[in-house]
Coordinates of all heavy atoms in Angstrom, one line a residue:
I8 N -8.8 -20.6 23.3 CA -8.8 -19.5 22.3 C -9.0 -20.1 20.9 O -8.2 -20.9 20.5 CB -7.5 -18.7 22.4 CG1 -7.3 -18.1 23.8 CG2 -7.6 -17.6 21.3 CD1 -8.4 -17.1 24.2
H9 N -10.0 -19.7 20.2 CA -10.3 -20.2 18.8 C -9.8 -19.1 17.8 O -10.6 -18.2 17.5 CB -11.7 -20.5 18.6 CG -12.2 -21.6 19.5 ND1 -11.9 -22.9 19.3 CD2 -12.9 -21.6 20.7 CE1 -12.4 -23.7 20.3 NE2 -13.0 -22.9 21.1
N10 N -8.6 -19.1 17.3 CA -8.1 -18.1 16.4 C -7.3 -18.7 15.3 O -6.3 -18.2 14.9 CB -7.3 -17.1 17.2 CG -8.0 -15.7 17.2 OD1 -9.2 -15.7 17.2 ND2 -7.2 -14.7 17.4
E11 N -7.8 -19.8 14.8 CA -7.1 -20.5 13.7 C -7.2 -19.6 12.4 O -8.2 -19.0 12.1 CB -7.8 -21.9 13.4 CG -7.7 -22.9 14.5 CD -8.7 -22.6 15.6 OE1 -9.7 -21.8 15.4 OE2 -8.6 -23.2 16.7
P12 N -6.1 -19.6 11.7 CA -6.1 -18.8 10.5 C -7.1 -19.3 9.5 O -7.3 -20.5 9.3 CB -4.6 -19.0 9.9 CG -3.8 -19.6 11.0 CD -4.8 -20.3 11.9
I13 N -7.8 -18.3 8.8 CA -8.8 -18.7 7.8 C -8.4 -18.3 6.4 O -9.1 -18.5 5.5 CB -10.2 -18.1 8.2 CG1 -10.1 -16.6 8.2 CG2 -10.7 -18.6 9.5 CD1 -11.5 -15.9 8.3
N14 N -7.2 -17.6 6.3 CA -6.8 -17.2 5.0 C -6.2 -18.4 4.3 O -5.6 -19.3 4.9 CB -5.7 -16.1 5.0 CG -4.4 -16.5 5.8 OD1 -4.5 -17.0 6.9 ND2 -3.3 -16.3 5.1
V15 N -6.4 -18.5 3.0 CA -6.0 -19.7 2.2 C -4.9 -19.3 1.2 O -4.7 -18.1 0.9 CB -7.2 -20.2 1.4 CG1 -8.3 -20.7 2.4 CG2 -7.7 -19.2 0.4
P16 N -4.1 -20.3 0.7 CA -3.0 -20.0 -0.2 C -3.6 -19.4 -1.5 O -4.7 -19.7 -1.9 CB -2.3 -21.4 -0.4 CG -2.8 -22.2 0.7 CD -4.1 -21.7 1.1
M17 N -2.7 -18.7 -2.2 CA -3.1 -18.2 -3.5 C -3.1 -19.3 -4.5 O -2.2 -20.2 -4.4 CB -2.1 -17.1 -3.9 CG -2.4 -16.3 -5.2 SD -1.0 -15.2 -5.5 CE -1.1 -14.1 -4.1
A18 N -4.0 -19.3 -5.4 CA -4.1 -20.4 -6.4 C -2.8 -20.3 -7.3 O -2.3 -19.2 -7.6 CB -5.3 -20.2 -7.3
A19 N -2.3 -21.4 -7.8 CA -1.1 -21.5 -8.5 C -1.2 -20.6 -9.8 O -0.2 -19.9 -10.1 CB -0.8 -22.9 -8.9
D20 N -2.3 -20.6 -10.4 CA -2.4 -19.8 -11.7 C -2.6 -18.3 -11.4 O -2.6 -17.5 -12.3 CB -3.6 -20.3 -12.5 CG -4.9 -20.2 -11.8 OD1 -4.9 -19.8 -10.6 OD2 -5.9 -20.5 -12.4
A21 N -2.7 -17.9 -10.1 CA -2.8 -16.5 -9.8 C -1.5 -15.9 -9.3 O -1.5 -14.7 -9.1 CB -3.9 -16.3 -8.7
V22 N -0.5 -16.7 -9.1 CA 0.7 -16.2 -8.6 C 1.5 -15.4 -9.6 O 1.6 -15.8 -10.7 CB 1.6 -17.4 -8.1 CG1 3.0 -16.9 -7.7 CG2 1.0 -18.2 -7.0
S23 N 1.8 -14.2 -9.2 CA 2.6 -13.3 -10.1 C 3.5 -12.5 -9.2 O 3.5 -12.6 -8.0 CB 1.7 -12.5 -10.9 OG 0.9 -11.7 -10.1
S24 N 4.2 -11.6 -9.8 CA 5.1 -10.7 -9.0 C 4.3 -9.8 -8.1 O 3.1 -9.4 -8.4 CB 5.9 -9.8 -9.9 OG 6.8 -10.6 -10.7
V25 N 4.8 -9.5 -7.0 CA 4.2 -8.6 -6.0 C 4.3 -7.2 -6.6 O 5.4 -6.6 -6.7 CB 4.8 -8.7 -4.6 CG1 4.1 -7.7 -3.7 CG2 4.7 -10.1 -4.1
S26 N 3.2 -6.6 -7.0 CA 3.3 -5.2 -7.6 C 2.9 -4.2 -6.6 O 2.4 -4.4 -5.5 CB 2.3 -5.2 -8.8 OG 1.0 -5.4 -8.3
E27 N 3.3 -2.9 -7.0 CA 3.0 -1.8 -6.1 C 1.5 -1.5 -6.1 O 0.7 -1.9 -7.0 CB 3.7 -0.6 -6.5 CG 3.4 -0.1 -7.9 CD 4.3 1.0 -8.4 OE1 5.5 0.8 -8.4 OE2 3.8 2.1 -8.6
V28 N 1.0 -0.9 -5.0 CA -0.4 -0.5 -4.9 C -0.8 0.5 -6.0 O 0.0 1.5 -6.2 CB -0.7 0.0 -3.5 CG1 -2.2 0.5 -3.4 CG2 -0.5 -1.1 -2.5
A29 N -1.9 0.4 -6.6 CA -2.4 1.4 -7.6 C -3.6 2.1 -7.0 O -4.5 1.4 -6.4 CB -2.7 0.8 -8.9
L30 N -3.7 3.4 -7.1 CA -4.8 4.1 -6.6 C -5.7 4.5 -7.8 O -5.3 5.3 -8.6 CB -4.4 5.3 -5.9 CG -3.5 5.1 -4.6 CD1 -3.2 6.5 -4.0 CD2 -4.2 4.2 -3.6
P31 N -6.9 3.9 -8.0 CA -7.7 4.1 -9.1 C -8.5 5.4 -9.0 O -9.5 5.5 -8.3 CB -8.7 2.9 -9.2 CG -8.8 2.5 -7.7 CD -7.5 2.8 -7.1
A32 N -8.0 6.5 -9.5 CA -8.7 7.8 -9.4 C -9.8 7.8 -10.4 O -9.9 7.0 -11.3 CB -7.7 8.9 -9.8
G33 N -10.8 8.7 -10.1 CA -12.0 8.8 -10.9 C -11.7 9.5 -12.2 O -10.5 9.9 -12.6
G34 N -12.7 9.8 -13.0 CA -12.5 10.4 -14.3 C -12.5 11.9 -14.3 O -12.7 12.5 -15.4
D35 N -12.3 12.5 -13.2 CA -12.2 14.0 -13.2 C -10.9 14.4 -12.8 O -9.9 13.7 -12.7 CB -13.4 14.6 -12.3 CG -13.3 14.0 -10.9 OD1 -12.2 13.6 -10.5 OD2 -14.3 14.1 -10.2
D36 N -10.8 15.7 -12.4 CA -9.5 16.3 -12.1 C -9.3 16.4 -10.6 O -8.4 17.1 -10.1 CB -9.2 17.6 -12.8 CG -10.3 18.7 -12.4 OD1 -11.2 18.3 -11.6 OD2 -10.2 19.8 -12.9
L37 N -10.1 15.7 -9.8 CA -9.9 15.7 -8.3 C -9.4 14.3 -7.9 O -9.8 13.3 -8.4 CB -11.3 16.0 -7.7 CG -12.0 17.3 -8.0 CD1 -13.3 17.4 -7.2 CD2 -11.1 18.5 -7.8
L38 N -8.6 14.4 -6.8 CA -8.2 13.1 -6.1 C -8.5 13.3 -4.6 O -8.0 14.3 -4.0 CB -6.8 12.9 -6.3 CG -6.2 11.6 -5.7 CD1 -6.8 10.3 -6.4 CD2 -4.7 11.5 -5.8
I39 N -9.4 12.5 -4.1 CA -9.9 12.7 -2.7 C -9.7 11.5 -1.9 O -10.1 10.4 -2.3 CB -11.4 13.1 -2.7 CG1 -11.6 14.4 -3.5 CG2 -11.9 13.3 -1.2 CD1 -13.1 14.8 -3.5
G40 N -9.0 11.6 -0.8 CA -8.7 10.5 0.1 C -9.1 10.9 1.5 O -8.9 12.1 2.0
L41 N -9.7 10.0 2.3 CA -10.1 10.2 3.6 C -9.5 9.1 4.5 O -9.5 7.9 4.1 CB -11.6 10.1 3.8 CG -12.5 11.1 2.9 CD1 -13.9 10.7 3.0 CD2 -12.2 12.5 3.3
A42 N -9.0 9.5 5.7 CA -8.5 8.5 6.7 C -9.3 8.6 8.0 O -9.3 9.7 8.5 CB -7.0 8.7 6.9
F43 N -9.9 7.6 8.4 CA -10.8 7.6 9.6 C -10.0 6.9 10.8 O -9.6 5.8 10.7 CB -12.1 6.8 9.4 CG -12.9 7.4 8.3 CD1 -13.7 6.5 7.5 CD2 -12.9 8.7 8.0 CE1 -14.5 7.0 6.5 CE2 -13.7 9.2 7.0 CZ -14.5 8.4 6.3
S44 N -9.8 7.7 11.8 CA -9.1 7.2 13.0 C -9.8 6.1 13.8 O -11.0 5.9 13.6 CB -8.7 8.4 13.9 OG -9.9 8.6 14.8
G45 N -9.1 5.5 14.7 CA -9.7 4.6 15.6 C -10.4 5.3 16.7 O -10.3 6.5 16.9
G46 N -11.2 4.5 17.5 CA -12.0 5.1 18.6 C -13.3 4.5 18.8 O -14.3 5.2 19.2
G47 N -13.5 3.2 18.4 CA -14.8 2.6 18.6 C -15.9 3.2 17.8 O -15.7 3.8 16.8
T48 N -17.1 3.1 18.4 CA -18.3 3.7 17.7 C -18.2 5.2 17.7 O -18.8 5.8 16.8 CB -19.6 3.2 18.5 OG1 -19.7 1.8 18.4 CG2 -20.8 3.8 17.8
R49 N -17.5 5.8 18.6 CA -17.3 7.2 18.6 C -16.6 7.6 17.3 O -17.1 8.6 16.6 CB -16.4 7.7 19.8 CG -16.3 9.2 19.9 CD -15.4 9.6 21.1 NE -14.0 9.3 20.8 CZ -13.2 8.7 21.6 NH1 -13.6 8.2 22.7 NH2 -11.9 8.5 21.2
A50 N -15.6 6.9 16.9 CA -14.9 7.2 15.6 C -15.8 6.9 14.4 O -15.8 7.7 13.4 CB -13.6 6.4 15.5

């Protein structure tokens, strides 16, 4: 099995506090989100 991790450490100058996720809404008065379920190519 070839499944070695490929993620790398964060650069030292990029380390900062872990902040909460921000959702960048657009410039209008609507907020639209879509969630796509699992199910292969069918989904």
Side-chain angles (χ1 to χ4, degrees):
I8 302 295
H9 299 282
N10 249 25
E11 296 77 15
I13 62 172
N14 63 306
V15 299
M17 188 182 297
D20 59 357
V22 173
S23 60
S24 297
V25 181
S26 58
E27 62 188 60
V28 174
L30 300 180
D35 57 24
D36 58 1
L37 305 181
L38 183 66
I39 300 177
L41 305 173
F43 299 149
S44 80
T48 298
R49 188 182 70 231

